[in-house]
Amino acid sequence: MRLRGFLSQVNDFIERHRLMSHDEKYLLALSGGADSVALLLAVKALGYEVEAVHCNFRLRGEESDRDEAFCQQFCRSQGVPLHLAHFDTRFYAQAHKVSIEMAARQLRYQHFERLMADIHAQGILVAHHQDDSVETVLMNLIRGTGLHGLTGISPRNGHIIRPLLCLTRQEVEQFLEQCRQPYITDSSNLVADVVRNKIRLQLLPILRTINPSVSDSIAATAERLKLAADIFDEAIDQKVRAARISVDEPCEAAYDVEKIDSEYTLFQILNPLHFSPSQIEDIARHLKADTGTVYDSPDHQLLFDRGRMIIIAREGPFKTMKLPIPGLYVLPGGDRLRIEVTAVDGHFEISRDACRVCVDADQVVFPLTLRTCREGDRFRPLGMKGSRLVSDFLTDRKFSLFQKRRQLVLTDADDRIVWLVALRPDHRVRITPATRKALILTLQS
């Protein structure tokens, strides 16, 4: 491929997918290998402003230092600023209990995002090409995947931009040969020890004996599947919106289980919330689960509750608060609890607001405690003759398990419930004709 043809293809691909602007700066991930070297030469020749970043993961001894030195010399020759980063990748992998490959990926992209913000860049250029996308399709197919796993690598994913996806590895190497531009080779890429290398070095050569153009065929199929996936996503999004409902409690989202008609719809809801594919499969099999059934992802919880699927962000437990005297107290979530003492005289009126209750100050012993309700908690709801379990009281009001966990109670020095917060005071501390001082408890959002 002639130089002008190579640059024309890259330029057309950038414009077709609206990947870059000549008015912005970009960060370019430079390993020193053929792909990233060709990417830097191409975008520089096309007039884009870039700064390079090279990560030394300290995994290949002298070879890692050789790569760093090459990148320094190459960037000097091109007049491109270079940012260097060094990582103790093995220590990170051990500390986070991930593979070396995953550790390097996490370290790399975390650093890219921070550096991009520091230099006010608009994106991170990486040098994936068509063969990388084909390998990804085959790898996902072997492991098992859904429709999106067969669409290959996207030209853009958030801040990550891939201008070379329109070109093969052979075309990249031919471009560098015509430019007389040397590059380095990572020896680890020549050993069939990980899945991607086995696909590149063993599987694809076998497939090419059946069809010499197999990479082009797979890439074209992935592109058609991408178009189909876009239509599919739009249809699934409509189903997700149709299933969504509102509930009388704070949550990320809630859905009518009867309207979740497929595992694809469920996947669209739960995958962004980091529920694993195996979890989603299990949830799909148990959409009629009993009320109170809970599933956990690293940062969210899902609850089945009377035909509804309620999702909340995981949060730490409410820290018990001691309230030694009347005053204004700020709760962890930002709400405020005001405690006041006032005389009960001819101007006094009992509040009928559930968030502002009046109790007999002489029947309440400080310090007070604000906490979440516990198993076995009992109180005597205002107006009732006997005591009730708090859990039963909340069940009668159709509270979900999430609401019950968050429900606050205000207790006195004897751990007697004074107020089921924002719901009902205890009958034993009610205002009576004999009351001389009232304790006013107000929850302010």
Side-chain angles (χ1 to χ4, degrees), residues 203-442:
L203 179 58
L204 276 170
I206 293 174
L207 293 177
R208 289 190 183 105
T209 65
I210 302 171
N211 176 8
S213 302
V214 67
S215 291
D216 292 336
S217 299
I218 293 174
T221 298
E223 185 64 27
R224 288 191 286 270
L225 287 172
K226 175 65 169 63
L227 296 174
D230 290 342
I231 298 171
F232 177 82
D233 286 344
E234 185 176 347
I236 293 296
D237 283 342
Q238 290 178 359
K239 291 179 178 292
V240 169
R241 289 193 294 271
R244 190 159 184 161
I245 57 175
S246 60
V247 293
D248 294 330
E249 62 177 290
C251 66
E252 290 276 308
Y255 299 89
D256 183 341
V257 169
E258 292 291 340
K259 294 182 179 179
I260 300 176
D261 60 353
S262 71
E263 188 174 324
Y264 283 110
T265 305
L266 195 63
F267 188 87
Q268 194 82 344
I269 294 170
L270 299 181
N271 184 56
L273 305 179
H274 305 120
F275 287 88
S276 69
S278 60
Q279 278 183 301
I280 296 172
E281 288 179 12
D282 186 53
I283 294 168
R285 289 193 297 268
H286 298 92
L287 280 176
K288 305 294 185 182
D290 294 338
T291 290
T293 301
V294 175
Y295 289 86
D296 295 284
S297 82
D299 44 21
H300 287 80
Q301 287 189 307
L302 179 155
L303 167 70
F304 285 107
D305 181 79
R306 292 164 296 171
R308 305 174 302 173
M309 186 176 77
I310 302 172
I311 301 167
I312 63 168
R314 292 176 69 90
E315 53 189 30
F318 180 87
K319 293 184 178 180
T320 297
M321 294 181 64
K322 287 291 184 182
L323 316 177
I325 59 174
L328 179 65
Y329 296 88
V330 179
L331 280 52
D335 291 347
R336 294 174 296 171
L337 178 62
R338 185 180 297 277
I339 303 175
E340 305 168 273
V341 179
T342 187
V344 176
D345 53 25
H347 302 288
F348 178 79
E349 292 185 10
I350 297 177
S351 170
R352 305 300 177 187
D353 186 341
C355 290
R356 177 181 165 85
V357 300
C358 305
V359 298
D360 190 324
D362 292 328
Q363 299 298 317
V364 178
V365 182
F366 278 85
L368 305 183
T369 301
L370 187 67
R371 60 170 174 82
T372 52
C373 57
R374 302 170 183 156
E375 185 176 354
D377 272 344
R378 302 187 74 92
F379 84 127
R380 183 179 171 185
L382 182 64
M384 294 186 63
K385 293 183 178 180
S387 69
R388 296 207 64 194
L389 284 170
V390 170
S391 59
D392 289 344
F393 182 83
L394 298 178
T395 297
D396 289 347
R397 297 177 69 90
K398 301 191 184 305
F399 271 38
S400 73
L401 177 63
F402 289 158
Q403 287 175 296
K404 290 178 180 179
R405 288 178 179 174
R406 289 192 294 256
Q407 180 60 50
L408 298 177
V409 295
L410 187 69
T411 63
D412 67 3
D414 297 323
D415 201 30
R416 180 180 59 170
I417 293 177
V418 173
W419 184 27
L420 194 58
V421 177
L423 289 176
R424 192 78 64 88
D426 191 284
H427 186 81
R428 292 165 294 184
V429 294
R430 70 194 185 282
I431 301 292
T432 70
T435 300
R436 294 293 174 262
K437 290 185 299 181
L439 196 65
I440 303 177
L441 311 169
T442 307

Side-chain angles (χ1 to χ4, degrees), residues 158-230:
H159 291 136
I160 305 300
I161 300 169
R162 304 180 175 96
L164 297 187
L165 280 179
C166 55
L167 298 158
T168 65
R169 180 179 289 109
Q170 183 180 17
E171 289 169 331
V172 168
E173 292 175 353
Q174 288 174 350
F175 168 70
L176 292 175
E177 184 179 348
Q178 291 170 2
C179 292
R180 293 185 171 84
Q181 172 61 55
Y183 55 88
I184 57 176
T185 300
D186 182 344
S187 61
S188 64
N189 290 334
L190 304 177
V191 181
D193 59 343
V194 295
V195 174
R196 186 176 289 277
N197 283 359
K198 289 178 180 178
I199 291 172
R200 177 185 304 152
L201 301 174
Q202 297 176 350
L203 179 58
L204 276 170
I206 293 174
L207 293 177
R208 289 190 183 105
T209 65
I210 302 171
N211 176 8
S213 302
V214 67
S215 291
D216 292 336
S217 299
I218 293 174
T221 298
E223 185 64 27
R224 288 191 286 270
L225 287 172
K226 175 65 169 63
L227 296 174
D230 290 342

Side-chain angles (χ1 to χ4, degrees), residues 60-76:
R60 293 177 290 114
E62 292 182 0
E63 195 173 277
S64 293
D65 296 332
R66 175 209 66 181
D67 296 353
E68 179 178 319
F70 172 87
C71 290
Q72 288 176 304
Q73 185 278 327
F74 175 58
C75 286
R76 278 196 300 268

